[in-house]
Amino acid sequence: MFREDLCNRCGKCLSQCPWMEVDGEEAIGIVKKLIKKEYSSVLKNCITCFACNEICPEQAYPFDLIASLQEKYYTLFPKEKLKAVERRFSSNDDEVAAFNADSILSLCVFKETDPELIKGALYDMPQVSGNPYFCWVLFSHIGGASIQEKHVKRLIQNLARNNPKEVVCFHDDCYTMLSHFAPEYGLDVPFRPVHLAEHLLRRLKPKHHSLKSLNVKIAYQRPCASRYTPEKENFIDELLDLVGAERVDRKYDRENAMCCAGVKKILGMGDPTPHQEENVKDAINAGAQALVCLCPMCMHALSPAAHRNRLPVLFIGDLARMALGEIKVNAFN
Ligand code: SF4
Ligand code: SF4
């Protein structure tokens, strides 16, 4: 939620935007216009990477202001297209799973799209997946902020059915929805959202004596949603450390991460390839032997550029499975 009371109108959110050229004075003027809910061309040029939320020194969440105006002026998806996407991900109560478990794994819609990423002992627990568990953060990327908010109460109700104590979130977006957005919307989350990296750590740590140290240098692709939930970054670092994967120090990581740019294609904002090539080359120049992704969407977006440059792309869960011995370690050879 944009915090107008915290915003000092410094303009840094726009003048330091990695995707637009806006100079300092112009940025200040645009921020003032946006606060008055007026139109600006930044609303159609913003690729929704969420970076300005971390750039802002006052934690005012400027992207949330941009997102609300992208919907007001339909600068990304038009109204009818937003409605069509909303219908695509809607569900009815018959589809909600019913079973008793203290801890469940929410797969969002990735069981349908990426089943090969959800194999092995690390995911051996009660699972829920499909439209009733879709987290709706996609709508922050396509100009449908209010649609995102509208459906979250139902998502929480679906997950809370049978009273789990915790919900492990396979996707960074789901974790961000439950740990950041839902409380912002004033919704009670009656279970603990657990990030995938924390879950993987909990499963691997008791086996640390028998884990295979991967002894590999990796570049980490930090997803957009992590801009809202940077507090779990320590789990990522601890997990990489535990499996013997050195996170290389590169230009496009942590607060300076480069969006995978897959959303540019979805929004019809031009060819993302040059940005993806730059991202992959940054990883290679820093000595990485593989690009490790937390978000399956980042994997899909960056794979063509990575393959062209002979850099393997791995899901972070598969790195954990390699350390367990479930997947052969030949990806780095
Ligand atoms: S939202 Fe943050 S970065 Fe943007 S003008 Fe306000 S204080 Fe500055
Ligand atoms: S979300 Fe990304 S592209 Fe949009 S204004 Fe913020 S930093 Fe720029």
Side-chain angles (χ1 to χ4, degrees), residues 18 54 222 227 250-259:
E54 274 194 317
R222 188 171 182 252
R227 305 277 187 186
R250 68 182 186 122
K251 181 178 173 188
Y252 296 127
D253 195 6
R254 304 196 187 268
E255 290 82 6
N256 199 35
M258 182 190 275
C259 170

Side-chain angles (χ1 to χ4, degrees), residues 13-14 17-20 46-52 55 63 66:
C13 46
L14 296 178
C17 165
W19 299 92
M20 288 187 274
C46 160
I47 73 154
T48 71
C49 73
F50 308 170
C52 44
I55 292 168
F63 174 70
I66 291 169

Side-chain angles (χ1 to χ4, degrees), residues 30-330:
I30 294 171
V31 167
K32 288 177 179 169
K33 275 178 79 173
L34 296 179
I35 288 173
K36 286 191 270 179
K37 304 203 180 330
E38 291 174 11
Y39 176 83
S40 160
S41 59
V42 303
L43 299 174
K44 67 178 171 57
N45 295 329
C46 160
I47 73 154
T48 71
C49 73
F50 308 170
C52 44
N53 279 348
E54 274 194 317
I55 292 168
C56 173
E58 306 298 333
Q59 286 84 50
Y61 290 96
F63 174 70
D64 296 22
L65 172 64
I66 291 169
S68 68
L69 297 175
Q70 284 173 327
E71 185 169 33
K72 175 178 160 80
Y73 293 105
Y74 294 110
T75 58
L76 300 181
F77 273 16
K79 190 174 184 179
E80 284 314 310
K81 198 165 175 186
L82 281 172
K83 280 191 173 165
V85 182
E86 183 182 14
R87 281 194 296 275
R88 154 71 183 82
F89 288 105
S90 293
S91 62
N92 58 54
D93 288 342
D94 301 344
E95 299 172 64
V96 179
F99 51 77
N100 281 313
D102 283 347
S103 181
I104 61 173
L105 173 64
S106 180
L107 296 169
C108 200
V109 292
F110 291 100
K111 194 163 188 176
E112 290 81 17
T113 58
D114 297 87
E116 71 285 356
L117 299 182
I118 314 160
K119 289 184 173 168
L122 294 168
Y123 310 110
D124 185 15
M125 60 191 292
Q127 300 176 356
V128 293
S129 68
N131 281 11
Y133 309 99
F134 177 62
C135 73
W136 299 93
V137 173
L138 168 69
F139 282 77
S140 277
H141 288 295
I142 59 175
S146 75
I147 296 173
Q148 172 179 302
E149 181 170 356
K150 176 177 138 190
H151 289 277
V152 179
K153 191 172 180 185
R154 187 116 176 266
L155 165 70
I156 294 169
Q157 284 170 350
N158 292 346
L159 287 168
R161 200 163 179 185
N162 304 114
N163 303 314
K165 290 191 173 75
E166 62 173 36
V167 173
V168 176
C169 302
F170 181 76
H171 194 210
D172 203 35
D173 283 18
C174 301
Y175 177 79
T176 297
M177 172 50 72
L178 296 170
S179 63
H180 174 86
F181 284 113
E184 281 233 317
Y185 298 152
L187 298 171
D188 179 42
V189 180
F191 47 79
R192 180 173 173 256
V194 176
H195 192 267
L196 178 66
E198 183 185 357
H199 166 73
L200 295 174
L201 265 174
R202 291 192 313 199
R203 290 277 172 116
L204 291 187
K205 271 183 173 173
K207 303 177 194 300
H208 71 277
H209 289 303
S210 58
L211 289 181
K212 181 178 174 56
S213 180
L214 302 177
N215 192 24
V216 62
K217 292 185 175 190
I218 64 96
Y220 178 63
Q221 173 63 28
R222 188 171 182 252
C224 297
S226 293
R227 305 277 187 186
Y228 282 101
T229 51
E231 72 280 356
K232 52 54 191 336
E233 202 79 359
N234 59 320
F235 291 126
I236 304 285
D237 283 326
E238 198 181 341
L239 176 63
L240 293 174
D241 202 38
L242 185 66
V243 301
E246 181 189 339
R247 182 173 176 172
V248 296
D249 194 12
R250 68 182 186 122
K251 181 178 173 188
Y252 296 127
D253 195 6
R254 304 196 187 268
E255 290 82 6
N256 199 35
M258 182 190 275
C259 170
C260 73
V263 72
K264 281 192 82 176
K265 210 167 180 178
I266 295 170
L267 296 172
M269 284 185 168
D271 183 7
T273 308
H275 307 288
Q276 292 162 343
E277 286 278 335
E278 189 180 336
N279 192 349
V280 165
K281 285 188 173 136
D282 176 60
I284 293 169
N285 291 339
Q289 296 163 271
L291 182 66
V292 170
C293 297
L294 172 60
C295 170
M297 307 305 290
C298 295
M299 284 185 74
H300 297 311
L302 290 170
S303 284
H307 291 159
R308 274 194 298 278
N309 289 280
R310 295 188 171 78
L311 184 69
V313 179
L314 291 171
F315 180 55
I316 198 162
D318 284 355
L319 211 60
R321 293 187 68 207
M322 285 178 178
L324 268 183
E326 287 188 356
I327 297 179
K328 281 192 181 152
V329 187
N330 53 13

